[in-house]
Amino acid sequence: MTTSPELQNIAEAIRARQRFVISSHSRPDGDSIGSQLAAAYALRALGKQVTVVNADPAPPPLQQFPGVTDIVIADRADGEFDAAIIMECGDLARTGVAGLDRCFVINIDHHPGNTEYGQLNWFDASAAACGELVFDLVRALQVPLTREIATHIYLAILTDTGSFHYSSISPRTFDICREALEAGVDPVLVARNVYDSNNMGRLKLFGAVLSAMQIDSTGRIAIVYLDHEMARQAGGTYEDTEGLINLPLTVKEMQAVVFFKQTEGDEYRVSMRSKGNIDIGSVAKEFGGGGHKNAAGCTVTGPVDALQKTFIEKIEEAIDGRPAHR
Ligand code: 5GP
Ligand code: MN
């Protein structure tokens, strides 16, 4: 296990305090929820008072995991806290929760480009999930790895590695998963809860979005698009698109996928995924977003045709390591 000075300082700061608020990024994913709740269970095992606050609810399949329904959904952290633990956020604004900056801030993250906004910062871009760091934190706090804690850590790793697809995976990832299984995690049940508990509207929406999918001229980049009208017609919601972005990459030739989701007017949430060494994290960064080498996102505004063209060019450059020849 890692015993970095950052981890030791954080463990000490936690031991010395009593009331905690734990937050993560808006539109939380499996790593946010898993990291937050693993830490919440560990701190409660030490007799600490813990409130978990997120700007948005967990996606429906994650609602079945222990403690998820107790998460407070709010855009402000109300109450008296001795410290705020922020997971998975490159900067504090990613939480979408106001009032955290008045606390003693402990920043635990694995996103490249973390702005070190905390009084204590522990940032490790080599971790495949923030949940790997939480595993080390649980150990440093000498809290036994209960089944709840282990389940949340496993959930974080399973989802943030794209079900063990991304290049961020290391031997440490599997060491932690092995310990999680030894602590009683049922990997079949976790996978079934995360991936096989959707509604029919979601399947219909997948069909509609994939039917409208475009491929770039080199046959390596999939462009998927969704607006409110398409979602309405298919009988699904935006939340139902979780995981859809990974499907185009199941095609052998496909190297990257970019997903444009209309938010309002001509503003779009852009999500990207890539295979292997293709760094779409730097593409997202060029547009004011961020993320990792194989999974990243940003928000952009403009005519969607022009935006798609620009992103395809940038992604082709990322694939070829130079501006695309056309
Ligand atoms: P997703 O496509 O699932 O929304 O995000 C993929 C990854 O990129 C996640 O690790 C997420 O934290 C990061 N990411 C997505 N959108 C943004 C953004 O607007 N800003 C930053 N800094 N990171 C983002
Ligand atoms: Mn993560």
Side-chain angles (χ1 to χ4, degrees), residues 148-191:
E148 280 88 4
I149 296 173
T151 296
H152 278 294
I153 286 170
Y154 185 80
L155 168 67
I157 291 174
L158 177 71
T159 55
D160 235 35
T161 58
S163 336
F164 302 103
H165 273 59
Y166 299 157
S167 55
S168 52
I169 295 164
S170 71
R172 172 169 73 150
T173 311
F174 287 100
D175 286 344
I176 295 171
C177 290
R178 179 182 57 76
E179 292 206 37
L181 262 59
E182 282 174 359
V185 171
D186 179 348
V188 178
L189 184 61
V190 174

Side-chain angles (χ1 to χ4, degrees), residues 25 29-32 35 88 109-111 127-131 156 160 292:
H25 56 78
D29 59 14
D31 194 20
S32 327
S35 295
E88 268 275 282
D109 184 32
H110 72 135
H111 289 93
C130 191
D160 235 35
H292 310 277

